[in-house]
Amino acid sequence: MAMYDNENTVRTSFDTDYISEYLQQAQWAELVELKKLIVELAAEMGRPISMLDIGVGNARVPKRLSGIHEIWEMVSSYDGTDNAKACIELAEKEIASLGIGNKTFIHFFDATALDQWPKQHDLVICTWFTPGNFYPDGFSFEQYNQSSDKLDLSVNTKFTRIFSKAYELLHPGGEIVLGACYIDNDSTRQKQEDSYRKMGMTVITDEKDSFTATREGFWSQRFTKEKLFSYLPSIPPSAFRFTNLDTYEYAWQVRIKKQR
């Protein structure tokens, strides 16, 4: 079952009455950086760019981009994917209400099957902490906090498979955007835990884990630069660009450039 398959949980996770200020401000900060990137990339390409959104959620990103005419003109097509039907339904309703279905397309699609995606893009995005949501197959939300064994995340084959393939889908000169991404430190861990508890969830991880998970099936990893490099060994570290989204080491936007 996908993390966001429960409709009530989905609505709560997008409801600003339940979302912490840290999350809300990271959301706006990443949108500011994303708009800058679109302008930059469209100028480099000399044309409007095609976008693929891994984890479109409630269509927050195309909603915000399409509301800025000058930015939206720089996007030729926008494909949004999600593996949660509740999110697909929310996204489709939003796209219809905005009247942007002429170049915005929503797909019920699991990112682990990106090797079957039929076309290339100039920009592949995975926003608002979604890069940290790809937990290893077989992880037990029911049993994890009852075990003394901690999950070894020196390898995350699902993350590697998804974003290695996303890199292959880029046109030369294109970019992947991961972000917001949680930065791995104890202060961020505590903020994650507080956020989940504010949404009424039960945290099942502690300070020894490099991710935060809840009994309700939510899972979000924190990252270091070195871990991202190790997860994507076929991409040179020089292709990565890290932008702080705040002044307190909470989140990054991570850009990965494919050379021409």
Side-chain angles (χ1 to χ4, degrees):
M1 178 179 288
M3 187 182 303
Y4 291 95
D5 267 343
N6 183 286
E7 184 175 352
N8 289 332
T9 303
V10 168
R11 293 189 183 280
T12 298
S13 67
F14 294 132
D15 188 336
T16 55
D17 288 338
Y18 295 92
I19 300 172
S20 73
E21 284 297 326
Y22 290 102
L23 284 170
Q24 291 185 56
Q25 292 186 38
Q27 180 182 118
W28 284 108
E30 72 171 1
L31 280 167
V32 169
E33 294 300 324
L34 180 59
K35 286 186 288 184
K36 293 178 185 177
L37 188 157
I38 290 170
V39 172
E40 179 184 323
L41 192 56
E44 285 183 14
M45 296 291 186
R47 55 171 172 75
I49 62 172
S50 60
M51 295 181 62
L52 172 63
D53 186 347
I54 298 174
V56 70
N58 65 347
R60 171 184 60 90
V61 174
K63 176 181 180 179
R64 298 304 178 190
L65 296 183
S66 65
I68 307 296
H69 177 72
E70 294 83 352
I71 298 295
W72 196 235
E73 279 193 327
M74 298 179 187
V75 177
S76 60
S77 64
Y78 193 108
D79 288 283
T81 71
D82 213 293
N83 70 338
K85 291 182 179 179
C87 288
I88 292 294
E89 291 172 2
L90 287 175
E92 288 178 337
K93 289 178 183 177
E94 189 67 51
I95 298 307
S97 69
L98 293 169
I100 57 173
N102 60 319
K103 64 178 180 182
T104 309
F105 311 97
I106 305 301
H107 311 265
F108 182 54
F109 186 86
D110 195 307
T112 59
L114 274 181
D115 57 343
Q116 300 173 31
W117 189 255
K119 57 183 177 179
Q120 289 185 294
H121 295 270
D122 301 308
L123 181 59
V124 178
I125 68 172
C126 189
T127 63
W128 205 31
F129 304 103
T130 304
N133 290 353
F134 298 108
Y135 56 88
D137 292 331
F139 180 80
S140 175
F141 291 93
E142 294 80 15
Q143 301 296 324
Y144 186 71
N145 65 336
Q146 300 174 22
S147 171
S148 59
D149 295 328
K150 292 299 179 180
L151 182 64
D152 179 9
L153 280 175
S154 58
V155 175
N156 185 332
T157 55
K158 186 179 290 184
F159 182 99
T160 298
R161 183 167 71 250
I162 290 170
F163 294 110
S164 294
K165 186 58 187 178
Y167 187 77
E168 293 177 15
L169 290 175
L170 289 174
H171 289 298
E175 294 197 36
I176 295 173
V177 170
L178 307 178
C181 286
Y182 288 116
I183 301 173
D184 192 14
N185 57 62
D186 198 59
S187 176
T188 295
R189 175 188 64 81
Q190 293 180 49
K191 292 179 178 72
Q192 283 179 294
E193 292 179 357
D194 290 344
S195 293
Y196 282 130
R197 289 181 179 124
K198 185 176 180 181
M199 287 187 278
M201 300 186 194
T202 302
V203 174
I204 59 173
T205 45
D206 59 32
E207 68 277 0
K208 296 179 182 178
D209 296 297
S210 60
F211 65 101
T212 299
T214 73
R215 185 167 291 126
E216 293 75 15
F218 277 58
W219 197 98
S220 197
Q221 185 174 356
R222 299 180 296 279
F223 299 95
T224 63
K225 293 179 181 179
E226 292 73 23
K227 183 158 285 184
L228 287 169
F229 296 154
S230 70
Y231 280 0
L232 299 170
S234 63
I235 304 174
S238 60
F240 289 73
R241 175 176 166 183
F242 295 83
T243 301
N244 285 319
L245 296 178
D246 50 68
T247 59
Y248 34 87
E249 295 297 306
Y250 179 63
W252 286 313
Q253 181 203 65
V254 183
R255 293 171 58 171
I256 306 173
K257 183 83 168 179
K258 187 170 187 178
Q259 296 305 310
R260 293 181 181 276

